[in-house]
Amino acid sequence: MEELILDKTQDETRQGEAYATTDLFQKKFERHFYIESYGCQMNFADSEVVASILQEAGFGPTRNVEDADLIFINTCSIREKAEQTVRKRLTNFKRLKRQKKSLLIGVLGCMAERLKSKFLEEEKLVDLVIGPDAYRSLPHLIEEAAGGQKAVNVLLSREETYADISPVRIDSNGISAFVSIMRGCNNMCSFCVVPFTRGRERSRDPQSIIQECEDLYKNGYREITLLGQNVDSYYYASSFESFPPITFANLLEKVAQISPELLVRFSTSHPKDISDEVLHTMAMHENICKYIHLPVQSGSSRVLQLMNRTYTREWYMAKVDRIRTLLPDCGISADIITGFCTEDEKDHQDTLSIMEYCKYDFSYMFIYSERPGTLAARRYADDVPEDIKKRRLEEIVSMQNKLSLESNQRDIGKSYKVLIEGDSKKNKEEWKARNSQNKVVVFPKENYTYKKGDFVTVKIADCTQGTLKGNIVAN
Ligand code: 5AD
Ligand code: SF4
């Protein structure tokens, strides 16, 4: 069995996506770029920033890789498998280059940062290598690469937040958008390569965030997800002393106040940073979705310490209790790593039992993958045999499947106000929507005149492990 990843956002690619905005399509450009994104939501949001910079420089998007003068691949380094996928894609692109000599191929994102000019020197697979904080230099680097020079910029920054750049909403459904509120990460979790590839944590100017959210709302968007590696540590102190500093709870409230018709979500929370202030703010505003993604990583205090997560099993469980007290109807999901260095059967049982205790609605589950340069790679041996890692992952996945089904069964008979995202994939006579708890809800359109982006109340009649099924409740 391959590594089982249940996360749509972490390891899934969406291809040739820089096409969406219709006006961009209608515009005529002489040169075209094609971009493919891998990894987390932050990477997809970054590709929208890149598309904006490229558009300013006179490049139009294309969906068809054969029509491109420039091919970009926005990469992820979180697990080895993600890097292998990118290498395979690059080998494919190299073939295109043989047919079209002027074609330029660029690597963006975390893998560019991790491998730096190695890409140009050793592998000769690419013409440009650009790290996550260097996208403003793209137009200049493209010119350099076109002139046959080596084009590399992997400088990390302590300030860059791309605050003034309006992302070009690529591959958008016109209803939901991601808004990046901070970059980088200061938590040195021992397994994680992110602090090395995305640099130090910095928060974006709140004014520019609110402006972006207001514009989205005016343009018909009805759901915004505030993004950061660790959103709860958002903190912005203005250089003007008369303006008080803005915390994540303050920011959340400001975005929620744009309109009650605008849903607000956020991701990702570190258990150590999510505060009562944030939970109270969530409770006060109906349009802040009652859903928290709260990565646990392991249920064993001993392993958590080796992971440098800074909390114990008991502390995490108390945090979940607190969420359930202040927000009784809150959905909770987790990230879990299985087979971390020295993990034994007792540790594994602790993970299974914490999952049961927390009753996760869903989880994203991964086999530990050693990443060069991380604290774990330097200090601990990756000593859990592959077959044991796989068996433990299977057990974790079965546990989650059971919990997801039970969670959905508890919703039968309840009514939810949901946001219509579009047609259900399986049946065009049905809508697909999402409730506040981030669960997918499908229901027959019947004779109602609802459309994408509308809110509607649905009573749940049935479910599977992954979906709630219901019917519209007449208003
Ligand atoms: N191996 C496996 N999973 C990892 N993650 C981060 N680093 C690794 C690694 N080296 C997982 C964590 C994190 C999610 C984004 O990816 O669970 O929360
Ligand atoms: Fe990686 Fe930990 Fe930062 Fe998440 S919080 S990005 S797991 S270092």
Side-chain angles (χ1 to χ4, degrees):
M1 189 183 65
E2 263 300 330
E3 182 176 3
L4 232 169
I5 292 156
L6 299 186
D7 185 355
K8 288 283 166 221
T9 60
Q10 307 289 352
D11 274 49
E12 198 177 69
T13 164
R14 289 181 257 153
Q15 297 182 358
E17 284 174 301
Y19 55 78
T21 50
T22 16
D23 24 329
L24 249 196
F25 245 142
Q26 278 148 11
K27 259 171 108 174
K28 291 261 175 290
F29 290 92
E30 263 179 35
R31 297 187 291 177
H32 291 90
F33 68 92
Y34 170 94
I35 191 165
E36 224 172 80
S37 307
Y38 292 79
C40 64
Q41 289 161 336
M42 284 296 287
N43 251 15
F44 286 86
D46 279 3
S47 290
E48 298 183 342
V49 168
V50 167
S52 174
I53 293 169
L54 291 175
Q55 188 200 344
E56 283 289 307
F59 291 91
T62 175
R63 249 180 243 178
N64 189 354
V65 71
E66 267 97 32
D67 296 340
D69 304 285
L70 270 168
I71 297 177
F72 285 112
I73 181 156
N74 197 351
T75 61
C76 170
S77 287
I78 203 121
R79 282 168 290 274
E80 196 185 351
K81 198 170 149 256
E83 292 201 351
Q84 282 164 357
T85 314
V86 165
R87 281 179 205 281
K88 272 194 213 130
R89 278 308 274 164
L90 283 173
T91 317
N92 283 341
F93 292 151
K94 194 86 199 270
R95 265 182 231 134
L96 288 175
K97 200 168 158 101
R98 269 186 226 121
Q99 291 151 19
K100 189 177 183 180
K101 288 272 174 296
S102 62
L103 177 68
L104 293 178
I105 299 174
V107 175
L108 312 175
C110 290
M111 230 176 135
E113 193 62 51
R114 198 176 82 72
L115 295 166
K116 303 193 167 53
S117 53
K118 226 179 175 184
F119 263 124
L120 297 177
E121 286 151 15
E122 289 173 20
E123 317 211 10
K124 301 209 181 339
L125 283 173
V126 298
D127 306 289
L128 299 109
V129 180
I130 302 138
D133 286 346
Y135 297 144
R136 284 182 204 268
S137 63
L138 266 163
H140 170 69
L141 291 174
I142 291 168
E143 294 316 317
E144 278 195 352
Q149 292 180 51
K150 281 184 185 173
V152 188
N153 188 348
V154 287
L155 284 177
L156 286 174
S157 157
R158 280 178 182 255
E159 284 96 35
E160 182 62 272
T161 58
Y162 301 112
D164 56 316
I165 295 180
S166 296
V168 171
R169 301 289 160 193
I170 50 182
D171 191 42
S172 162
N173 64 0
I175 304 295
S176 312
F178 294 113
V179 173
S180 165
I181 64 163
M182 61 202 296
R183 300 181 73 79
C185 183
N186 284 356
N187 297 321
M188 282 290 184
C189 299
S190 63
F191 51 78
C192 188
V193 77
V194 167
F196 304 96
T197 59
R198 287 191 162 265
R200 305 291 292 172
E201 182 181 295
R202 66 223 94 119
S203 296
R204 176 179 166 191
D205 179 344
Q207 219 52 50
S208 74
I209 298 172
I210 305 295
Q211 185 66 54
E212 190 177 325
C213 296
E214 280 175 353
D215 289 347
L216 285 165
Y217 180 67
K218 276 186 213 134
N219 286 316
Y221 285 81
R222 290 295 171 263
E223 183 184 68
I224 281 171
T225 305
L226 304 176
L227 282 187
Q229 243 75 41
N230 184 9
V231 286
D232 299 275
S233 72
Y234 178 91
Y235 186 84
Y236 191 88
S238 163
S239 43
F240 300 105
E241 272 177 22
S242 48
F243 289 104
I246 305 282
T247 63
F248 181 58
N250 302 146
L251 180 73
L252 204 50
E253 176 143 65
K254 281 179 194 289
V255 178
Q257 281 165 344
I258 292 173
S259 165
E261 296 282 278
L262 179 67
L263 297 183
V264 190
R265 300 184 183 274
F266 55 88
S267 186
T268 294
S269 294
H270 193 299
K272 79 174 163 55
D273 292 313
I274 188 160
S275 62
D276 269 11
E277 199 194 353
V278 167
L279 302 179
H280 286 305
T281 308
M282 288 175 76
M284 259 164 9
H285 296 271
E286 205 195 316
N287 58 330
I288 304 181
C289 292
K290 305 299 175 280
Y291 166 63
I292 300 175
H293 181 55
L294 198 71
V296 64
Q297 312 297 5
S298 168
S300 153
S301 293
R302 190 186 70 79
V303 173
L304 285 168
Q305 188 168 15
L306 292 181
M307 288 178 162
N308 198 24
R309 288 292 289 179
T310 73
Y311 54 82
T312 60
R313 169 188 176 84
E314 290 71 29
W315 195 94
Y316 181 95
M317 284 155 77
K319 185 57 87 179
V320 168
D321 291 346
R322 187 72 185 147
I323 294 170
R324 302 248 183 253
T325 307
L326 295 180
L327 300 164
D329 61 345
C330 192
I332 303 181
S333 61
D335 287 347
I336 299 170
I337 297 178
T338 190
F340 187 68
C341 315
T342 79
E343 184 190 77
D344 61 20
E345 286 307 316
K346 161 139 192 344
D347 299 317
H348 173 57
Q349 290 305 321
D350 283 349
T351 297
L352 290 168
S353 69
I354 206 168
M355 291 173 76
E356 268 201 303
Y357 181 87
C358 299
K359 297 193 174 70
Y360 295 125
D361 298 292
F362 31 93
S363 289
Y364 306 122
M365 296 159 277
F366 313 102
I367 280 182
Y368 172 60
S369 160
E370 186 178 83
R371 308 311 294 131
T374 55
L375 205 77
R378 282 182 278 133
R379 275 204 199 149
Y380 316 123
D382 180 10
D383 58 357
V384 179
E386 209 50 32
D387 54 333
I388 294 186
K389 283 182 175 172
K390 285 180 179 164
R391 194 255 303 150
R392 287 184 189 159
L393 180 68
E394 277 173 28
E395 289 176 14
I396 285 172
V397 169
S398 326
M399 169 63 82
Q400 186 53 55
N401 288 346
K402 173 183 99 91
L403 295 174
S404 298
L405 182 62
E406 285 171 4
S407 164
N408 284 354
Q409 282 167 342
R410 284 194 293 273
D411 290 342
I412 293 175
K414 293 183 191 166
S415 293
Y416 294 102
K417 187 176 156 192
V418 299
L419 174 64
I420 299 179
E421 290 179 357
D423 289 343
S424 140
K425 257 190 219 145
K426 285 193 192 143
N427 182 353
K428 297 278 165 284
E429 302 300 307
E430 293 187 342
W431 288 121
K432 171 187 175 256
R434 214 169 273 269
N435 72 3
S436 179
Q437 290 72 16
N438 207 30
K439 288 186 181 176
V440 174
V441 182
V442 294
F443 50 94
K445 294 179 181 176
E446 298 180 49
N447 292 326
Y448 294 97
T449 54
Y450 290 112
K451 56 187 186 316
K452 200 167 91 168
D454 283 346
F455 291 95
V456 55
T457 304
V458 174
K459 186 167 181 185
I460 308 305
D462 196 3
C463 72
T464 64
Q465 183 192 302
T467 314
L468 297 177
K469 297 174 181 178
N471 298 292
I472 296 174
V473 178
N475 287 322

